[in-house]
Every structure is written in C-alpha cells, then in structure tokens.
Amino acid sequence: MKTYLNLGCGYRYQTGWTNVDYVSTGDGVLAHNLLQGIPFSENSFEVVYHSHILEHFSKADGKQFIQECYRVLKPNGTIRIAVPDLEQIVREYTKNLEKALEGDAKAPQDYEWIMLELYDQVVRSKSGGEMADYIFQPEIPNEDYVFARLGEEARNLRKGNLASLNQPKKEPSTPKDKRSMFRKVLSKLKNNLRQVLFQSEIKFYQENLHYITLGKFRLGGEIHQWMYDSYSLSKLLTEIGFKEVKIQTAFESQIPNWNSYELETKEGIIFKPDSLFIEAKK
C-alpha cells in the first residue's frame, strides 16, 4: 500500500493518499492546522507533497514545517514542493519594466499585472485582493498574458464569476451594513450585561472593528508571508538534511506514475504555470 501524504490538499486530492488540510474538503481529508506540526509519527511516508502552501508560512514557520516533512518521511523518501517561483516573477517584472520604458504599447498592461502578481498577495486587505478585481473586470486588456501566467484554473474561476453575475440576485438574509449589525449586537450586550461590561470596552470594540476584521483576515492564511526561488528553496532543503535536490517540471517527478495523480497537470495542461517545482530525498 502506498504511503503518500498530500498536505494542504484543498479540493485536489487522491484516494489512496493521506490528505490533510486546515478544514476537511472531502471524505477522508483530515482537518489539521499545520502550524501545529504534522500529526504523524516519524518515518511514516514514502512521499510528502504540498503545493502553494509553504509561502503562506512565515520564514521561521516555513523552516519548521519543512523539518516536520523531513521527520515524517521514510529514509530515501521523496519530498515534492510547488511554490510560486519568485525568480520567474521577478524576471517577468524586469522584462515588462524595460519594455514599458522603451515605449512598448502593450507593456504597461503586462507591467500592471506582474506588479500585482509580485505584491498583491503580500499586502492585500481583502480576499482575492486587487488580483481578483483585475481578473473579474468585464474586459481584461491583456487576457492571454494573465492566463498564461495563472493557468486554466484562473480562467475557469473568471468564467464562474461572470456566470454568477448573470444570476438573479437574492435578497440578503443579514443586514447589508456589517457595522450596523455589529452595533446592534453590542447594544444587546450592553443592555443585558451592563454590570459586567464596562462602557470603555464597548467603545473600544466599536472603534476598532475595522482593525479586528483586518487582523483576522491577515492572519487567516491567504496572505503570502515569504517567497522562494530555486536557490533559496534548495538551500533550505539542504540545510534541513535533504539530499539530491532537483528542480523539476510539472510533468517530471521521481514519484512513480506522477502524472496519473493529476495533482499539477491534466491532459497536458499545467494548473499553476507560475510555479517552481522541486524534489529532494531524505
């Protein structure tokens, strides 16, 4: 029986693998916070795989997470990691910058997009950020470039969003104004628990609702907290004790029958073409 582990699997997981995510996304997907370690004993798995997860950890937490991957791998086991490729993004940035400075008519649009790709998921304060605003606008001026960068997943996401805009809108069952709803809740607390809650505490929450909401989002897992290129990720793996570090393509792997699992490709299409793919042995 295969002992393969897929961490942060989302909705892309395989039967026969052990699949883990922060919330269970299907039958057999274990819900677990990976900041608390990997909930398996050492030397348990032949393969440990995660895609676009590592960048959501801080640099220090990311190192600890990779150490956990090493711990649960069997000797000579394979780790495979996919992350946004910082080097590739930066090269695209400098290319588009140079073209824009030279007066290329199409370059400003591509430059605008690559700046979003570089920074938006680090600094955003709402889900999807400005990247989502760009993708979901009625007409994308450089659509081919954007989806060449993001892949078919993003194109399908756009199609779904545009289709939903054409659906009849339902009346919201909750107040449109979240601040108004929050004030009503606080008012009820104030009336029912007047002897327990101080006026200053109520005022604090009223005045700081924006910051509480923002902090909750920023700590919710969507933000990129660190980025990697082939050098830095290879160095990290080597420092932890991995050997035979090798850059791969989405189609190449030391994992037997890799493409049959359709975790990164399907029918020749790469799900996340902006990725760096890397493998190493324990």
mmCIF file with all atom_site columns, all heavy atoms in Angstrom, residues 147-170:
data_model
loop_
_atom_site.group_PDB
_atom_site.id
_atom_site.type_symbol
_atom_site.label_atom_id
_atom_site.label_alt_id
_atom_site.label_comp_id
_atom_site.label_asym_id
_atom_site.label_entity_id
_atom_site.label_seq_id
_atom_site.pdbx_PDB_ins_code
_atom_site.Cartn_x
_atom_site.Cartn_y
_atom_site.Cartn_z
_atom_site.occupancy
_atom_site.B_iso_or_equiv
_atom_site.pdbx_formal_charge
_atom_site.auth_seq_id
_atom_site.auth_comp_id
_atom_site.auth_asym_id
_atom_site.auth_atom_id
_atom_site.pdbx_PDB_model_num
ATOM 1   N N   . PHE A 1 147 ? -3.628  34.834 -18.236 1.00 0.00 ? 147 PHE A N   1
ATOM 2   C CA  . PHE A 1 147 ? -3.946  33.424 -18.052 1.00 0.00 ? 147 PHE A CA  1
ATOM 3   C C   . PHE A 1 147 ? -2.798  32.510 -18.460 1.00 0.00 ? 147 PHE A C   1
ATOM 4   O O   . PHE A 1 147 ? -2.745  31.350 -18.039 1.00 0.00 ? 147 PHE A O   1
ATOM 5   C CB  . PHE A 1 147 ? -5.243  33.080 -18.773 1.00 0.00 ? 147 PHE A CB  1
ATOM 6   C CG  . PHE A 1 147 ? -6.437  33.743 -18.142 1.00 0.00 ? 147 PHE A CG  1
ATOM 7   C CD1 . PHE A 1 147 ? -7.281  34.555 -18.877 1.00 0.00 ? 147 PHE A CD1 1
ATOM 8   C CD2 . PHE A 1 147 ? -6.690  33.586 -16.789 1.00 0.00 ? 147 PHE A CD2 1
ATOM 9   C CE1 . PHE A 1 147 ? -8.362  35.183 -18.283 1.00 0.00 ? 147 PHE A CE1 1
ATOM 10  C CE2 . PHE A 1 147 ? -7.766  34.210 -16.183 1.00 0.00 ? 147 PHE A CE2 1
ATOM 11  C CZ  . PHE A 1 147 ? -8.605  35.015 -16.930 1.00 0.00 ? 147 PHE A CZ  1
ATOM 12  N N   . ALA A 1 148 ? -1.870  33.027 -19.249 1.00 0.00 ? 148 ALA A N   1
ATOM 13  C CA  . ALA A 1 148 ? -0.630  32.276 -19.469 1.00 0.00 ? 148 ALA A CA  1
ATOM 14  C C   . ALA A 1 148 ? 0.169   32.208 -18.175 1.00 0.00 ? 148 ALA A C   1
ATOM 15  O O   . ALA A 1 148 ? 0.863   31.225 -17.906 1.00 0.00 ? 148 ALA A O   1
ATOM 16  C CB  . ALA A 1 148 ? 0.197   32.936 -20.569 1.00 0.00 ? 148 ALA A CB  1
ATOM 17  N N   . ARG A 1 149 ? 0.058   33.252 -17.360 1.00 0.00 ? 149 ARG A N   1
ATOM 18  C CA  . ARG A 1 149 ? 0.735   33.286 -16.071 1.00 0.00 ? 149 ARG A CA  1
ATOM 19  C C   . ARG A 1 149 ? 0.015   32.417 -15.038 1.00 0.00 ? 149 ARG A C   1
ATOM 20  O O   . ARG A 1 149 ? 0.647   31.685 -14.285 1.00 0.00 ? 149 ARG A O   1
ATOM 21  C CB  . ARG A 1 149 ? 0.790   34.729 -15.544 1.00 0.00 ? 149 ARG A CB  1
ATOM 22  C CG  . ARG A 1 149 ? 1.609   35.688 -16.367 1.00 0.00 ? 149 ARG A CG  1
ATOM 23  C CD  . ARG A 1 149 ? 3.090   35.437 -16.229 1.00 0.00 ? 149 ARG A CD  1
ATOM 24  N NE  . ARG A 1 149 ? 3.499   35.377 -14.843 1.00 0.00 ? 149 ARG A NE  1
ATOM 25  C CZ  . ARG A 1 149 ? 4.561   34.698 -14.399 1.00 0.00 ? 149 ARG A CZ  1
ATOM 26  N NH1 . ARG A 1 149 ? 5.303   34.024 -15.249 1.00 0.00 ? 149 ARG A NH1 1
ATOM 27  N NH2 . ARG A 1 149 ? 4.872   34.692 -13.125 1.00 0.00 ? 149 ARG A NH2 1
ATOM 28  N N   . LEU A 1 150 ? -1.310  32.497 -14.994 1.00 0.00 ? 150 LEU A N   1
ATOM 29  C CA  . LEU A 1 150 ? -2.071  31.872 -13.909 1.00 0.00 ? 150 LEU A CA  1
ATOM 30  C C   . LEU A 1 150 ? -2.611  30.490 -14.244 1.00 0.00 ? 150 LEU A C   1
ATOM 31  O O   . LEU A 1 150 ? -2.907  29.710 -13.338 1.00 0.00 ? 150 LEU A O   1
ATOM 32  C CB  . LEU A 1 150 ? -3.237  32.776 -13.502 1.00 0.00 ? 150 LEU A CB  1
ATOM 33  C CG  . LEU A 1 150 ? -2.872  34.108 -12.862 1.00 0.00 ? 150 LEU A CG  1
ATOM 34  C CD1 . LEU A 1 150 ? -4.136  34.822 -12.419 1.00 0.00 ? 150 LEU A CD1 1
ATOM 35  C CD2 . LEU A 1 150 ? -1.930  33.919 -11.681 1.00 0.00 ? 150 LEU A CD2 1
ATOM 36  N N   . GLY A 1 151 ? -2.805  30.187 -15.513 1.00 0.00 ? 151 GLY A N   1
ATOM 37  C CA  . GLY A 1 151 ? -3.300  28.874 -15.888 1.00 0.00 ? 151 GLY A CA  1
ATOM 38  C C   . GLY A 1 151 ? -4.811  28.816 -16.027 1.00 0.00 ? 151 GLY A C   1
ATOM 39  O O   . GLY A 1 151 ? -5.538  29.781 -15.785 1.00 0.00 ? 151 GLY A O   1
ATOM 40  N N   . GLU A 1 152 ? -5.280  27.624 -16.402 1.00 0.00 ? 152 GLU A N   1
ATOM 41  C CA  . GLU A 1 152 ? -6.697  27.424 -16.686 1.00 0.00 ? 152 GLU A CA  1
ATOM 42  C C   . GLU A 1 152 ? -7.571  27.543 -15.445 1.00 0.00 ? 152 GLU A C   1
ATOM 43  O O   . GLU A 1 152 ? -8.755  27.860 -15.540 1.00 0.00 ? 152 GLU A O   1
ATOM 44  C CB  . GLU A 1 152 ? -6.911  26.055 -17.341 1.00 0.00 ? 152 GLU A CB  1
ATOM 45  C CG  . GLU A 1 152 ? -6.430  25.984 -18.780 1.00 0.00 ? 152 GLU A CG  1
ATOM 46  C CD  . GLU A 1 152 ? -7.147  27.001 -19.667 1.00 0.00 ? 152 GLU A CD  1
ATOM 47  O OE1 . GLU A 1 152 ? -8.385  27.009 -19.687 1.00 0.00 ? 152 GLU A OE1 1
ATOM 48  O OE2 . GLU A 1 152 ? -6.453  27.794 -20.325 1.00 0.00 ? 152 GLU A OE2 1
ATOM 49  N N   . GLU A 1 153 ? -7.010  27.282 -14.275 1.00 0.00 ? 153 GLU A N   1
ATOM 50  C CA  . GLU A 1 153 ? -7.798  27.418 -13.049 1.00 0.00 ? 153 GLU A CA  1
ATOM 51  C C   . GLU A 1 153 ? -8.349  28.834 -12.919 1.00 0.00 ? 153 GLU A C   1
ATOM 52  O O   . GLU A 1 153 ? -9.515  29.035 -12.585 1.00 0.00 ? 153 GLU A O   1
ATOM 53  C CB  . GLU A 1 153 ? -6.941  27.085 -11.829 1.00 0.00 ? 153 GLU A CB  1
ATOM 54  C CG  . GLU A 1 153 ? -6.782  25.605 -11.575 1.00 0.00 ? 153 GLU A CG  1
ATOM 55  C CD  . GLU A 1 153 ? -6.123  25.336 -10.234 1.00 0.00 ? 153 GLU A CD  1
ATOM 56  O OE1 . GLU A 1 153 ? -5.389  26.214 -9.749  1.00 0.00 ? 153 GLU A OE1 1
ATOM 57  O OE2 . GLU A 1 153 ? -6.341  24.255 -9.681  1.00 0.00 ? 153 GLU A OE2 1
ATOM 58  N N   . ALA A 1 154 ? -7.503  29.810 -13.177 1.00 0.00 ? 154 ALA A N   1
ATOM 59  C CA  . ALA A 1 154 ? -7.928  31.204 -13.071 1.00 0.00 ? 154 ALA A CA  1
ATOM 60  C C   . ALA A 1 154 ? -8.937  31.551 -14.157 1.00 0.00 ? 154 ALA A C   1
ATOM 61  O O   . ALA A 1 154 ? -9.901  32.282 -13.915 1.00 0.00 ? 154 ALA A O   1
ATOM 62  C CB  . ALA A 1 154 ? -6.720  32.128 -13.158 1.00 0.00 ? 154 ALA A CB  1
ATOM 63  N N   . ARG A 1 155 ? -8.737  31.017 -15.355 1.00 0.00 ? 155 ARG A N   1
ATOM 64  C CA  . ARG A 1 155 ? -9.690  31.275 -16.437 1.00 0.00 ? 155 ARG A CA  1
ATOM 65  C C   . ARG A 1 155 ? -11.069 30.715 -16.087 1.00 0.00 ? 155 ARG A C   1
ATOM 66  O O   . ARG A 1 155 ? -12.100 31.366 -16.306 1.00 0.00 ? 155 ARG A O   1
ATOM 67  C CB  . ARG A 1 155 ? -9.188  30.662 -17.747 1.00 0.00 ? 155 ARG A CB  1
ATOM 68  C CG  . ARG A 1 155 ? -9.974  31.122 -18.973 1.00 0.00 ? 155 ARG A CG  1
ATOM 69  C CD  . ARG A 1 155 ? -9.522  30.374 -20.214 1.00 0.00 ? 155 ARG A CD  1
ATOM 70  N NE  . ARG A 1 155 ? -8.146  30.641 -20.557 1.00 0.00 ? 155 ARG A NE  1
ATOM 71  C CZ  . ARG A 1 155 ? -7.752  31.678 -21.297 1.00 0.00 ? 155 ARG A CZ  1
ATOM 72  N NH1 . ARG A 1 155 ? -8.636  32.555 -21.734 1.00 0.00 ? 155 ARG A NH1 1
ATOM 73  N NH2 . ARG A 1 155 ? -6.474  31.833 -21.593 1.00 0.00 ? 155 ARG A NH2 1
ATOM 74  N N   . ASN A 1 156 ? -11.091 29.509 -15.529 1.00 0.00 ? 156 ASN A N   1
ATOM 75  C CA  . ASN A 1 156 ? -12.363 28.903 -15.136 1.00 0.00 ? 156 ASN A CA  1
ATOM 76  C C   . ASN A 1 156 ? -13.009 29.666 -13.983 1.00 0.00 ? 156 ASN A C   1
ATOM 77  O O   . ASN A 1 156 ? -14.241 29.779 -13.908 1.00 0.00 ? 156 ASN A O   1
ATOM 78  C CB  . ASN A 1 156 ? -12.144 27.442 -14.742 1.00 0.00 ? 156 ASN A CB  1
ATOM 79  C CG  . ASN A 1 156 ? -11.757 26.580 -15.925 1.00 0.00 ? 156 ASN A CG  1
ATOM 80  O OD1 . ASN A 1 156 ? -12.084 26.891 -17.074 1.00 0.00 ? 156 ASN A OD1 1
ATOM 81  N ND2 . ASN A 1 156 ? -11.043 25.493 -15.667 1.00 0.00 ? 156 ASN A ND2 1
ATOM 82  N N   . LEU A 1 157 ? -12.175 30.187 -13.085 1.00 0.00 ? 157 LEU A N   1
ATOM 83  C CA  . LEU A 1 157 ? -12.691 30.992 -11.982 1.00 0.00 ? 157 LEU A CA  1
ATOM 84  C C   . LEU A 1 157 ? -13.366 32.249 -12.516 1.00 0.00 ? 157 LEU A C   1
ATOM 85  O O   . LEU A 1 157 ? -14.430 32.650 -12.038 1.00 0.00 ? 157 LEU A O   1
ATOM 86  C CB  . LEU A 1 157 ? -11.551 31.358 -11.034 1.00 0.00 ? 157 LEU A CB  1
ATOM 87  C CG  . LEU A 1 157 ? -11.922 31.961 -9.683  1.00 0.00 ? 157 LEU A CG  1
ATOM 88  C CD1 . LEU A 1 157 ? -12.726 30.974 -8.853  1.00 0.00 ? 157 LEU A CD1 1
ATOM 89  C CD2 . LEU A 1 157 ? -10.659 32.370 -8.925  1.00 0.00 ? 157 LEU A CD2 1
ATOM 90  N N   . ARG A 1 158 ? -12.759 32.857 -13.510 1.00 0.00 ? 158 ARG A N   1
ATOM 91  C CA  . ARG A 1 158 ? -13.350 34.050 -14.127 1.00 0.00 ? 158 ARG A CA  1
ATOM 92  C C   . ARG A 1 158 ? -14.682 33.710 -14.787 1.00 0.00 ? 158 ARG A C   1
ATOM 93  O O   . ARG A 1 158 ? -15.665 34.438 -14.636 1.00 0.00 ? 158 ARG A O   1
ATOM 94  C CB  . ARG A 1 158 ? -12.384 34.641 -15.152 1.00 0.00 ? 158 ARG A CB  1
ATOM 95  C CG  . ARG A 1 158 ? -12.996 35.750 -16.013 1.00 0.00 ? 158 ARG A CG  1
ATOM 96  C CD  . ARG A 1 158 ? -11.969 36.348 -16.966 1.00 0.00 ? 158 ARG A CD  1
ATOM 97  N NE  . ARG A 1 158 ? -12.598 37.149 -18.002 1.00 0.00 ? 158 ARG A NE  1
ATOM 98  C CZ  . ARG A 1 158 ? -13.032 38.390 -17.828 1.00 0.00 ? 158 ARG A CZ  1
ATOM 99  N NH1 . ARG A 1 158 ? -12.928 38.969 -16.651 1.00 0.00 ? 158 ARG A NH1 1
ATOM 100 N NH2 . ARG A 1 158 ? -13.582 39.059 -18.819 1.00 0.00 ? 158 ARG A NH2 1
ATOM 101 N N   . LYS A 1 159 ? -14.723 32.601 -15.506 1.00 0.00 ? 159 LYS A N   1
ATOM 102 C CA  . LYS A 1 159 ? -15.967 32.192 -16.164 1.00 0.00 ? 159 LYS A CA  1
ATOM 103 C C   . LYS A 1 159 ? -17.080 31.988 -15.143 1.00 0.00 ? 159 LYS A C   1
ATOM 104 O O   . LYS A 1 159 ? -18.217 32.401 -15.352 1.00 0.00 ? 159 LYS A O   1
ATOM 105 C CB  . LYS A 1 159 ? -15.740 30.905 -16.954 1.00 0.00 ? 159 LYS A CB  1
ATOM 106 C CG  . LYS A 1 159 ? -14.883 31.072 -18.199 1.00 0.00 ? 159 LYS A CG  1
ATOM 107 C CD  . LYS A 1 159 ? -14.667 29.731 -18.892 1.00 0.00 ? 159 LYS A CD  1
ATOM 108 C CE  . LYS A 1 159 ? -13.788 29.878 -20.124 1.00 0.00 ? 159 LYS A CE  1
ATOM 109 N NZ  . LYS A 1 159 ? -13.522 28.563 -20.764 1.00 0.00 ? 159 LYS A NZ  1
ATOM 110 N N   . GLY A 1 160 ? -16.731 31.349 -14.026 1.00 0.00 ? 160 GLY A N   1
ATOM 111 C CA  . GLY A 1 160 ? -17.727 31.120 -12.987 1.00 0.00 ? 160 GLY A CA  1
ATOM 112 C C   . GLY A 1 160 ? -18.218 32.412 -12.371 1.00 0.00 ? 160 GLY A C   1
ATOM 113 O O   . GLY A 1 160 ? -19.409 32.572 -12.090 1.00 0.00 ? 160 GLY A O   1
ATOM 114 N N   . ASN A 1 161 ? -17.306 33.364 -12.188 1.00 0.00 ? 161 ASN A N   1
ATOM 115 C CA  . ASN A 1 161 ? -17.691 34.651 -11.616 1.00 0.00 ? 161 ASN A CA  1
ATOM 116 C C   . ASN A 1 161 ? -18.606 35.421 -12.556 1.00 0.00 ? 161 ASN A C   1
ATOM 117 O O   . ASN A 1 161 ? -19.626 35.983 -12.131 1.00 0.00 ? 161 ASN A O   1
ATOM 118 C CB  . ASN A 1 161 ? -16.442 35.473 -11.305 1.00 0.00 ? 161 ASN A CB  1
ATOM 119 C CG  . ASN A 1 161 ? -16.766 36.846 -10.751 1.00 0.00 ? 161 ASN A CG  1
ATOM 120 O OD1 . ASN A 1 161 ? -16.823 37.827 -11.497 1.00 0.00 ? 161 ASN A OD1 1
ATOM 121 N ND2 . ASN A 1 161 ? -16.987 36.930 -9.454  1.00 0.00 ? 161 ASN A ND2 1
ATOM 122 N N   . LEU A 1 162 ? -18.266 35.447 -13.843 1.00 0.00 ? 162 LEU A N   1
ATOM 123 C CA  . LEU A 1 162 ? -19.095 36.163 -14.811 1.00 0.00 ? 162 LEU A CA  1
ATOM 124 C C   . LEU A 1 162 ? -20.472 35.526 -14.928 1.00 0.00 ? 162 LEU A C   1
ATOM 125 O O   . LEU A 1 162 ? -21.484 36.217 -15.073 1.00 0.00 ? 162 LEU A O   1
ATOM 126 C CB  . LEU A 1 162 ? -18.402 36.189 -16.175 1.00 0.00 ? 162 LEU A CB  1
ATOM 127 C CG  . LEU A 1 162 ? -17.099 36.998 -16.249 1.00 0.00 ? 162 LEU A CG  1
ATOM 128 C CD1 . LEU A 1 162 ? -16.487 36.893 -17.636 1.00 0.00 ? 162 LEU A CD1 1
ATOM 129 C CD2 . LEU A 1 162 ? -17.345 38.457 -15.885 1.00 0.00 ? 162 LEU A CD2 1
ATOM 130 N N   . ALA A 1 163 ? -20.516 34.188 -14.838 1.00 0.00 ? 163 ALA A N   1
ATOM 131 C CA  . ALA A 1 163 ? -21.807 33.499 -14.907 1.00 0.00 ? 163 ALA A CA  1
ATOM 132 C C   . ALA A 1 163 ? -22.671 33.840 -13.699 1.00 0.00 ? 163 ALA A C   1
ATOM 133 O O   . ALA A 1 163 ? -23.885 34.021 -13.813 1.00 0.00 ? 163 ALA A O   1
ATOM 134 C CB  . ALA A 1 163 ? -21.585 31.989 -14.995 1.00 0.00 ? 163 ALA A CB  1
ATOM 135 N N   . SER A 1 164 ? -22.036 33.947 -12.535 1.00 0.00 ? 164 SER A N   1
ATOM 136 C CA  . SER A 1 164 ? -22.799 34.244 -11.321 1.00 0.00 ? 164 SER A CA  1
ATOM 137 C C   . SER A 1 164 ? -23.389 35.645 -11.355 1.00 0.00 ? 164 SER A C   1
ATOM 138 O O   . SER A 1 164 ? -24.434 35.906 -10.760 1.00 0.00 ? 164 SER A O   1
ATOM 139 C CB  . SER A 1 164 ? -21.911 34.081 -10.087 1.00 0.00 ? 164 SER A CB  1
ATOM 140 O OG  . SER A 1 164 ? -20.914 35.086 -10.046 1.00 0.00 ? 164 SER A OG  1
ATOM 141 N N   . LEU A 1 165 ? -22.725 36.559 -12.070 1.00 0.00 ? 165 LEU A N   1
ATOM 142 C CA  . LEU A 1 165 ? -23.236 37.926 -12.166 1.00 0.00 ? 165 LEU A CA  1
ATOM 143 C C   . LEU A 1 165 ? -24.536 37.991 -12.951 1.00 0.00 ? 165 LEU A C   1
ATOM 144 O O   . LEU A 1 165 ? -25.319 38.929 -12.797 1.00 0.00 ? 165 LEU A O   1
ATOM 145 C CB  . LEU A 1 165 ? -22.188 38.830 -12.831 1.00 0.00 ? 165 LEU A CB  1
ATOM 146 C CG  . LEU A 1 165 ? -20.898 39.054 -12.039 1.00 0.00 ? 165 LEU A CG  1
ATOM 147 C CD1 . LEU A 1 165 ? -19.929 39.908 -12.843 1.00 0.00 ? 165 LEU A CD1 1
ATOM 148 C CD2 . LEU A 1 165 ? -21.188 39.708 -10.692 1.00 0.00 ? 165 LEU A CD2 1
ATOM 149 N N   . ASN A 1 166 ? -24.759 36.983 -13.803 1.00 0.00 ? 166 ASN A N   1
ATOM 150 C CA  . ASN A 1 166 ? -25.978 36.952 -14.611 1.00 0.00 ? 166 ASN A CA  1
ATOM 151 C C   . ASN A 1 166 ? -27.137 36.245 -13.915 1.00 0.00 ? 166 ASN A C   1
ATOM 152 O O   . ASN A 1 166 ? -28.239 36.194 -14.449 1.00 0.00 ? 166 ASN A O   1
ATOM 153 C CB  . ASN A 1 166 ? -25.694 36.253 -15.949 1.00 0.00 ? 166 ASN A CB  1
ATOM 154 C CG  . ASN A 1 166 ? -24.702 37.036 -16.797 1.00 0.00 ? 166 ASN A CG  1
ATOM 155 O OD1 . ASN A 1 166 ? -24.719 38.261 -16.799 1.00 0.00 ? 166 ASN A OD1 1
ATOM 156 N ND2 . ASN A 1 166 ? -23.835 36.323 -17.506 1.00 0.00 ? 166 ASN A ND2 1
ATOM 157 N N   . GLN A 1 167 ? -26.872 35.689 -12.724 1.00 0.00 ? 167 GLN A N   1
ATOM 158 C CA  . GLN A 1 167 ? -27.921 35.018 -11.970 1.00 0.00 ? 167 GLN A CA  1
ATOM 159 C C   . GLN A 1 167 ? -28.753 36.039 -11.205 1.00 0.00 ? 167 GLN A C   1
ATOM 160 O O   . GLN A 1 167 ? -28.245 37.074 -10.781 1.00 0.00 ? 167 GLN A O   1
ATOM 161 C CB  . GLN A 1 167 ? -27.305 34.016 -10.986 1.00 0.00 ? 167 GLN A CB  1
ATOM 162 C CG  . GLN A 1 167 ? -26.537 32.889 -11.652 1.00 0.00 ? 167 GLN A CG  1
ATOM 163 C CD  . GLN A 1 167 ? -27.432 31.979 -12.469 1.00 0.00 ? 167 GLN A CD  1
ATOM 164 O OE1 . GLN A 1 167 ? -28.573 31.719 -12.103 1.00 0.00 ? 167 GLN A OE1 1
ATOM 165 N NE2 . GLN A 1 167 ? -26.913 31.515 -13.602 1.00 0.00 ? 167 GLN A NE2 1
ATOM 166 N N   . PRO A 1 168 ? -30.068 35.765 -11.024 1.00 0.00 ? 168 PRO A N   1
ATOM 167 C CA  . PRO A 1 168 ? -30.894 36.683 -10.224 1.00 0.00 ? 168 PRO A CA  1
ATOM 168 C C   . PRO A 1 168 ? -30.327 36.820 -8.826  1.00 0.00 ? 168 PRO A C   1
ATOM 169 O O   . PRO A 1 168 ? -29.935 35.841 -8.198  1.00 0.00 ? 168 PRO A O   1
ATOM 170 C CB  . PRO A 1 168 ? -32.264 35.987 -10.197 1.00 0.00 ? 168 PRO A CB  1
ATOM 171 C CG  . PRO A 1 168 ? -32.249 35.059 -11.363 1.00 0.00 ? 168 PRO A CG  1
ATOM 172 C CD  . PRO A 1 168 ? -30.826 34.624 -11.536 1.00 0.00 ? 168 PRO A CD  1
ATOM 173 N N   . LYS A 1 169 ? -30.281 38.045 -8.350  1.00 0.00 ? 169 LYS A N   1
ATOM 174 C CA  . LYS A 1 169 ? -29.736 38.288 -7.027  1.00 0.00 ? 169 LYS A CA  1
ATOM 175 C C   . LYS A 1 169 ? -30.770 37.992 -5.957  1.00 0.00 ? 169 LYS A C   1
ATOM 176 O O   . LYS A 1 169 ? -31.932 38.350 -6.084  1.00 0.00 ? 169 LYS A O   1
ATOM 177 C CB  . LYS A 1 169 ? -29.269 39.743 -6.904  1.00 0.00 ? 169 LYS A CB  1
ATOM 178 C CG  . LYS A 1 169 ? -28.074 40.069 -7.788  1.00 0.00 ? 169 LYS A CG  1
ATOM 179 C CD  . LYS A 1 169 ? -27.585 41.483 -7.549  1.00 0.00 ? 169 LYS A CD  1
ATOM 180 C CE  . LYS A 1 169 ? -26.362 41.791 -8.395  1.00 0.00 ? 169 LYS A CE  1
ATOM 181 N NZ  . LYS A 1 169 ? -25.874 43.174 -8.169  1.00 0.00 ? 169 LYS A NZ  1
ATOM 182 N N   . LYS A 1 170 ? -30.327 37.304 -4.905  1.00 0.00 ? 170 LYS A N   1
ATOM 183 C CA  . LYS A 1 170 ? -31.194 37.006 -3.778  1.00 0.00 ? 170 LYS A CA  1
ATOM 184 C C   . LYS A 1 170 ? -31.071 38.110 -2.736  1.00 0.00 ? 170 LYS A C   1
ATOM 185 O O   . LYS A 1 170 ? -30.006 38.682 -2.544  1.00 0.00 ? 170 LYS A O   1
ATOM 186 C CB  . LYS A 1 170 ? -30.815 35.659 -3.150  1.00 0.00 ? 170 LYS A CB  1
ATOM 187 C CG  . LYS A 1 170 ? -31.001 34.475 -4.087  1.00 0.00 ? 170 LYS A CG  1
ATOM 188 C CD  . LYS A 1 170 ? -30.619 33.182 -3.390  1.00 0.00 ? 170 LYS A CD  1
ATOM 189 C CE  . LYS A 1 170 ? -30.813 31.991 -4.317  1.00 0.00 ? 170 LYS A CE  1
ATOM 190 N NZ  . LYS A 1 170 ? -30.430 30.717 -3.644  1.00 0.00 ? 170 LYS A NZ  1
#
